[in-house]
Amino acid sequence: MAKERPRVMRIQRIPERSTEPGGSPGRPRGTGAGTASGTPRATGATPTKGTASGTPRAAGVTPTKGTASGTPRATGATPTKGTASGTPRAAGATPTKGTASGTPRAAGATPTKGTASGTPRDTGATPTKGAASGTPRAGGATPTKGAASGTPRATGATPTKGAASGVSPRKGPTTGPPKASGVTPTKGTTRGPPKGSGVTPTKGTTRGPPKGSGVTPTKGTTRGPPKGSGVTPTKGTARGPPKGSETPPWPGTTAGPPKASGAPPPKGTTAAPSRSSTTTGPPKGSATPASPGEPAGTAPAPSVSKVAVRRRKVVRKKVVKKKVLRKKPEAPAAPQEPPCPPLGLESLRVLDEQLRASSHKRPGLGAHRGRLNIQSGLYDGDFFDGGWCAGHEDTRQWLEVDARRLTRFTGVITQGLNSIWTYDWVTSYKVQVSNDSHAWLPSRNGTEEAVFPANTDPETPVLNALPSPLVGRFLRINPQSWFRNGTVCLRAEVLGCPLPDPGDAHAWHPPAPPEPQLDFRHHNYKEMRKLMKRVSEECPDITRVYSIGQSSRGLRLYVMEISDNPGQHEVGEPEFRYVAGMHGNEVLGRELLLTLMQFLCREFRRGDARVVQLVTGTRIHLLPSMNPDGYETAYSLGSELAGWAVGRWTYEGIDLNHNFADLNTALWDAEDNDLVPHEFPNHYIPIPEYYTFANATVAPETRAVIAWMQRYPFVLSANLHGGELVVTYPFDMSRTYWKAQELTPTPDDGVFRWLATVYATANPAMASAERRPCHHDDFTRYGSIINGAHWHTVAGSMNDFSYLHTNCFEITVELSCDKFPHASELPAEWENNRESLLLFMEQVHRGIKGVVRDSDTELGIPNAIISVDGINHDVRTASDGDYWRLLNPGEYEVTARAEGYEAATQPCRVYFENVPTPCSFRLARARGRHRPGRPRPGPDPALRLQRLRLRRLRAHGRGQ
């Protein structure tokens, strides 16, 4: 039998004002927002927002919000919000929200909320909410909520919730009689009404209008209009108009073929759609009368479906709309008061007489030793030990701090005893305050006296904030428990803000900070970069920022150069460097160099004569952080909680002050065999071969600094550390290898002692004869300077390497007892060290300087050797032939020699003024060995060996 071509009749539509939800005035009925169509709908059908149709619907059908229709519905059925239909339903059936129908239902059947039907139901059956039907039910049967029907029910039977088939249904039945016509499904159905029924689906349906209906799907639809429908999809549809459509597509739409019915039922339904639910059109025998006012001759739903099958397949494009999350404006946070700083037990601002205790085990463990991070001596029973220890083991012991003024106490930090012989710490304690040291007020946590948890090991600092600040002059720490195998021992720091003294008018108006334009705070890596960049932008004519390498974790080692011609070496101008942060937790040097940058820039712009002379006559290099990885580790814990060693080492666990090549041993072995200086040099000693191996433990930071030393002819340097108040000078390694302490001077011991004294005497904290020792060594008896090896031996130090491998004289400055001082202490530390920093830089001009030239060409001779009579340490000229030799005042015989030239000697006198004495040389070529016009002779063997080893070291560094 030949196929019958479907008739297409012109239908004149009369627009009406929509009264449905989702409609808008002036828009014809059936153009509600949000419909999504993948299959055609009959003329006049008006799906509202959210409807999505996979099969055609009859004319006049208006699905409500939330219905999902996959098959036509009978005229007059009005499913409510949330219905989803996979098969047609009989005319007049109005399933409500939540019903799920997989097969057609008889006309008038109204399943209640939650019913799930897999087979048709007879007219009149009204299942209640939750009923699940797999077989037809008899007319009139109305199962209640939760009934599950697998068999027909008798006409008119109204089973209760859960009743079985054929009887009054109770809760939980599995069968039910067929439903009769006239049943009205209640809310909760998940199948929509049949199409062509005149039903008006409500907002939220998920199927679009049928083809040829003239319906305009609105915003939010996910199916495009069918071919030739004349439908205009609105904004947001995910399917564009098909080929041949007269409607221009909206932006962002893509075309696709209609989908067959069979949309999955909503979550919670119990009956799956049957095979019949995927067929298009009403079931056999079902009547689909046209809605009132519908023109006769409207194309039936099955014909429209056949037209849809012949559509071409179009590639679908997925349009992803990016969600723009708008942050809600946050209310401005209330200004918070800065936390109270430490009183200064660790930094010695709190004097010994301000500390008292209930008892002590011995004088070396008295109250004056109960300071945070204090270190013990090497010997058991030392007079200066590592903490306070009570003489009795009971809960009546206490350590008292006198703030000497009213103070708002906010917290306590504790540690255990520092000792290599015993393990002692407090595990809990109480806190009391007083104004007269007689009546004591305990810290309370509500109504009970607070007991604070303390330490679990001797070294890790533990901070306990008081539940509420306490105001008083005296504070006591009262231990309650301690390490069971130890005794009552602790080290402490107290946090508190001093309050104005009513009797002191000046205390209410403290003086302004001494340097208001300087940035006194701790700077992490990013903040340090910003500060260096800002200083360079403020003084671009005298500053330059450059990098010498990277740390283990990739952080750059930045250097600030300050000179009148940055980036250029000037003949006769000495080069100076400051290095800080070799140990990442010793942070004061880092902040001092950052402050020094700002100070030199500002004072140069102001025209300060001293600074201008220093900048124009010296090329200054400032490396504020040699170990940035270690600093970031310590910075993350804070000034009081970093402890004594956290952040000291690099990320790879290397102590940079022990990581340079040991050149001392090779020198001393050669001296013992009388090989110096004829066969073994006393300067520019080559790096040992083992140090250049690929498996040698050399940190990338160390390699970077060694390469930095080779690029610039540094004359003088200082390495800034923390944890003590002393200046040390080479040698740092004792000559007798098995001795921990031994005086080991250099040939330039007099110069080094002078340089160390210059810094120490200009520093008020170091120069004070009344100050107490930081830990267990009293350096005031040495003038706050000491030979490094005489203090403690250090093999592979940067001081010794710099002296023996280059021309540079370098000392170590221990800046403060506190390795990581609080930010509030930085202004005072700057005042202590500002003059010392400037005066030490000026010492680079002490001694003699000159240029060694070729007498024929007047060109400078590089690598010429400068020897001073009586000093077994030489220096070499730079690439331009200029040199600087630090010497104390006096008269000296100076000799200059170079390979292929005759040596020249002349007297040079050094005066007490801090002005270098010019002492230049003109060398003639050696007779009989090299004639004029011939190339210059090559470097001596020691220099060649040094360069070879350096190349190997750099090559292995690049390979890592």
Side-chain angles (χ1 to χ4, degrees):
M1 180 177 177
K3 282 188 179 180
E4 180 182 357
R5 179 179 297 274
R7 297 180 180 180
V8 179
M9 301 184 65
R10 184 177 302 276
I11 302 172
Q12 182 178 2
R13 297 181 54 215
I14 301 176
E16 299 179 8
R17 289 190 176 271
S18 174
T19 58
E20 305 291 340
S24 58
R27 179 183 293 178
R29 183 182 298 275
T31 58
T35 60
S37 175
T39 54
R41 298 180 182 177
T43 307
T46 308
T48 54
K49 182 177 180 181
T51 61
S53 174
T55 54
R57 299 179 182 176
V61 179
T62 306
T64 56
K65 180 178 178 182
T67 61
S69 174
T71 54
R73 301 175 182 175
T75 307
T78 307
T80 55
K81 181 177 179 180
T83 61
S85 174
T87 55
R89 299 177 183 174
T94 308
T96 54
K97 181 178 179 182
T99 61
S101 173
T103 54
R105 299 177 183 175
T110 308
T112 55
K113 181 177 179 181
T115 60
S117 174
T119 55
R121 301 176 183 176
D122 292 335
T123 307
T126 308
T128 55
K129 181 177 180 182
S133 174
T135 56
R137 301 176 182 175
T142 307
T144 55
K145 179 178 179 182
S149 173
T151 56
R153 299 178 182 177
T155 306
T158 307
T160 58
K161 183 176 181 180
S165 157
V167 293
S168 298
R170 301 180 185 276
K171 186 175 182 180
T174 58
T175 59
K179 298 182 179 181
S181 61
V183 179
T184 304
T186 56
K187 184 178 180 183
T189 59
T190 59
R191 296 297 180 194
K195 296 183 180 180
S197 61
V199 180
T200 305
T202 55
K203 185 177 179 182
T205 58
T206 60
R207 296 298 179 193
K211 289 184 179 181
S213 62
V215 180
T216 305
T218 53
K219 182 177 179 182
T221 60
T222 60
R223 301 292 183 194
K227 283 185 178 181
S229 61
V231 181
T232 304
T234 55
K235 183 178 179 181
T237 58
R239 297 286 181 265
K243 292 183 180 180
S245 172
E246 298 178 2
T247 306
W250 286 70
T253 61
T254 58
K259 290 187 177 180
S261 62
K267 187 175 180 181
T269 59
T270 60
S274 64
R275 291 176 181 256
S276 62
S277 66
T278 60
T279 59
T280 307
K284 279 185 179 182
S286 62
T288 311
S291 58
E294 179 181 354
T298 304
S303 300
V304 180
S305 174
K306 291 178 182 178
V307 176
V309 173
R310 292 196 296 268
R311 289 185 58 191
R312 291 184 181 180
K313 186 175 181 180
V314 183
V315 178
R316 300 173 182 176
K317 295 182 180 179
K318 187 176 181 180
V319 179
V320 180
K321 289 190 176 182
K322 187 176 180 181
K323 272 189 176 182
V324 180
L325 299 177
R326 298 182 180 179
K327 292 184 178 180
K328 295 181 179 180
E330 298 180 357
Q336 297 182 354
E337 295 183 2
C340 290
L343 296 186
L345 277 76
E346 181 180 7
S347 60
L348 303 184
R349 286 186 295 146
V350 174
L351 305 178
D352 286 352
E353 53 265 27
Q354 295 178 246
L355 299 175
R356 291 199 314 143
S358 57
S359 62
H360 57 264
K361 187 176 281 189
R362 63 175 184 267
L365 295 172
H368 64 289
R369 304 298 295 175
R371 300 173 181 270
L372 191 72
N373 286 322
I374 202 166
Q375 301 297 298
S376 66
L378 299 177
Y379 308 103
D380 188 22
D382 199 322
F383 183 77
F384 299 104
D385 220 322
W388 163 71
C389 288
H392 308 282
E393 296 183 12
D394 55 57
T395 58
R396 295 188 298 273
Q397 306 304 308
W398 45 262
L399 175 67
E400 180 181 302
V401 181
D402 180 8
R404 290 189 171 177
R405 62 184 300 175
L406 281 179
T407 303
R408 182 165 59 91
F409 298 107
T410 60
V412 175
I413 303 172
T414 57
Q415 280 177 316
L417 176 70
N418 175 257
S419 174
I420 62 176
W421 305 102
T422 60
Y423 292 90
D424 300 288
W425 61 82
V426 169
T427 57
S428 65
Y429 60 88
K430 297 180 179 179
V431 174
Q432 298 98 23
V433 297
S434 173
N435 287 327
D436 55 5
S437 75
H438 294 287
W440 293 91
L441 174 68
S443 175
R444 294 185 177 277
N445 189 3
T447 59
E448 298 181 354
E449 188 172 358
V451 178
F452 300 94
N455 302 85
T456 57
D457 63 80
E459 295 299 328
T460 305
V462 175
L463 168 65
N464 281 296
L466 303 184
S468 59
L470 299 176
V471 176
R473 173 177 170 175
F474 302 92
L475 180 139
R476 276 185 179 177
I477 302 172
N478 176 213
Q480 298 297 300
S481 61
W482 46 90
F483 182 51
R484 64 179 182 177
N485 294 327
T487 185
V488 182
C489 297
L490 62 82
R491 293 173 287 170
E493 180 63 87
V494 178
L495 306 182
C497 297
L499 299 178
D501 186 358
D504 185 4
H506 298 285
W508 291 89
H509 304 284
E515 304 288 350
Q517 297 184 9
L518 301 179
D519 190 2
F520 291 115
R521 60 189 177 94
H522 291 292
H523 300 78
N524 60 17
Y525 178 74
K526 292 183 179 180
E527 293 168 342
M528 179 190 73
R529 291 179 55 188
K530 291 179 181 179
L531 187 144
M532 296 177 73
K533 181 180 179 182
R534 176 166 56 83
V535 172
S536 182
E537 291 173 350
E538 290 178 2
C539 299
D541 297 334
I542 63 169
T543 60
R544 178 176 73 101
V545 179
Y546 64 95
S547 172
I548 64 172
Q550 293 184 348
S551 68
S552 303
R553 302 185 68 182
L555 302 182
R556 293 191 174 275
L557 278 61
Y558 287 106
V559 178
M560 170 71 77
E561 178 188 342
I562 302 177
S563 175
D564 56 342
N565 291 300
Q568 178 182 354
H569 172 72
E570 301 178 56
V571 177
E573 184 175 275
E575 308 225 8
F576 175 91
R577 74 168 182 255
Y578 271 130
V579 179
M582 171 177 277
H583 295 148
N585 62 333
E586 299 170 10
V587 306
L588 181 57
R590 173 192 180 107
E591 299 306 327
L592 289 178
L593 293 191
L594 294 177
T595 307
L596 181 62
M597 298 174 192
Q598 305 172 66
F599 176 80
L600 293 177
C601 173
R602 187 192 66 181
E603 296 302 317
F604 185 86
R605 294 175 61 186
R606 289 183 177 180
D608 183 87
R610 183 184 185 185
V611 173
V612 170
Q613 182 180 0
L614 184 63
V615 171
T616 56
T618 313
R619 192 181 184 192
I620 304 169
H621 302 259
L622 306 178
L623 173 59
S625 185
M626 182 178 171
N627 181 9
D629 296 344
Y631 176 83
E632 294 299 309
T633 302
Y635 179 83
S636 63
L637 296 177
S639 62
E640 307 306 318
L641 300 181
W644 186 253
V646 175
R648 174 185 178 91
W649 299 278
T650 66
Y651 180 73
E652 297 175 339
I654 298 175
D655 188 338
L656 296 179
N657 202 34
H658 296 258
N659 196 229
F660 287 83
D662 174 18
L663 306 181
N664 306 58
T665 302
L667 173 65
W668 294 331
D669 288 345
E671 288 180 348
D672 293 341
N673 296 320
D674 295 329
L675 302 178
V676 179
H678 306 290
E679 298 182 27
F680 192 90
N682 60 11
H683 68 289
Y684 268 53
I685 299 176
I687 293 176
E689 187 176 5
Y690 73 86
Y691 196 77
T692 64
F693 292 161
N695 60 350
T697 305
V698 184
E701 296 88 346
T702 306
R703 297 178 189 271
V705 171
I706 292 176
W708 186 37
M709 293 178 179
Q710 303 300 321
R711 288 197 300 269
Y712 299 93
F714 293 114
V715 179
L716 182 61
S717 173
N719 186 9
L720 306 183
H721 284 246
E724 261 294 356
L725 272 173
V726 67
V727 181
T728 69
Y729 53 88
F731 285 120
D732 289 337
M733 179 180 176
S734 60
R735 186 156 187 164
T736 306
Y737 70 91
W738 50 269
K739 286 188 176 180
Q741 296 175 325
E742 182 186 25
L743 179 63
T744 310
T746 66
D748 288 286
D749 187 64
V751 177
F752 277 115
R753 290 176 61 86
W754 169 260
L755 295 172
T757 301
V758 166
Y759 197 100
T761 55
N763 187 302
M766 294 183 185
S768 174
E770 298 179 356
R771 72 173 182 89
R772 57 145 291 159
C774 290
H775 302 287
H776 53 82
D777 290 316
D778 185 8
F779 295 108
T780 56
R781 55 181 177 171
Y782 305 115
S784 295
I785 69 170
I786 193 172
N787 175 257
H790 197 198
W791 181 18
H792 61 271
T793 183
V794 176
S797 73
M798 188 166 69
N799 290 3
D800 292 358
F801 181 86
S802 180
Y803 179 70
L804 296 177
H805 189 69
T806 69
N807 292 335
C808 186
F809 287 36
E810 183 170 299
I811 64 173
T812 295
V813 182
E814 301 284 348
L815 296 165
S816 171
C817 299
D818 190 353
K819 288 186 174 183
F820 202 143
H822 192 268
S824 61
E825 300 175 7
L826 294 180
E829 295 293 352
W830 166 249
E831 291 300 320
N832 282 338
N833 291 276
R834 178 180 61 179
E835 181 60 26
S836 298
L837 293 170
L838 296 175
L839 191 59
F840 185 77
M841 284 192 290
E842 293 172 342
Q843 303 308 305
V844 75
H845 298 281
R846 189 179 186 86
I848 61 175
K849 73 173 184 177
V851 181
V852 179
R853 302 181 186 275
D854 188 319
S855 60
D856 296 332
T857 63
E858 294 298 326
L859 296 176
I861 302 175
N863 294 313
I865 299 175
I866 306 298
S867 302
V868 178
D869 187 28
I871 301 177
N872 190 21
H873 183 79
D874 302 335
V875 296
R876 289 182 181 262
T877 57
S879 58
D880 295 324
D882 49 348
Y883 78 93
W884 305 263
R885 182 61 165 92
L886 298 179
L887 293 170
N888 284 333
E891 293 187 4
Y892 301 92
E893 290 288 331
V894 183
T895 301
R897 64 180 183 273
E899 186 73 20
Y901 292 89
E902 298 288 346
T905 303
Q906 65 178 4
C908 297
R909 182 182 182 86
V910 178
Y911 298 93
F912 285 92
E913 290 80 7
N914 199 31
V915 178
T917 300
C919 193
S920 298
F921 295 87
R922 295 165 59 89
L923 301 184
R925 292 183 179 272
R927 297 178 182 179
R929 296 181 59 187
H930 298 282
R931 296 179 182 178
R934 290 190 177 185
R936 294 181 180 179
D940 56 69
L943 197 59
R944 286 199 302 270
L945 182 60
Q946 183 198 44
R947 292 176 177 175
L948 176 62
R949 300 277 173 81
L950 287 172
R951 282 198 298 269
R952 290 180 182 175
L953 182 66
R954 287 194 293 268
H956 292 312
R958 287 191 294 268
Q960 290 183 353

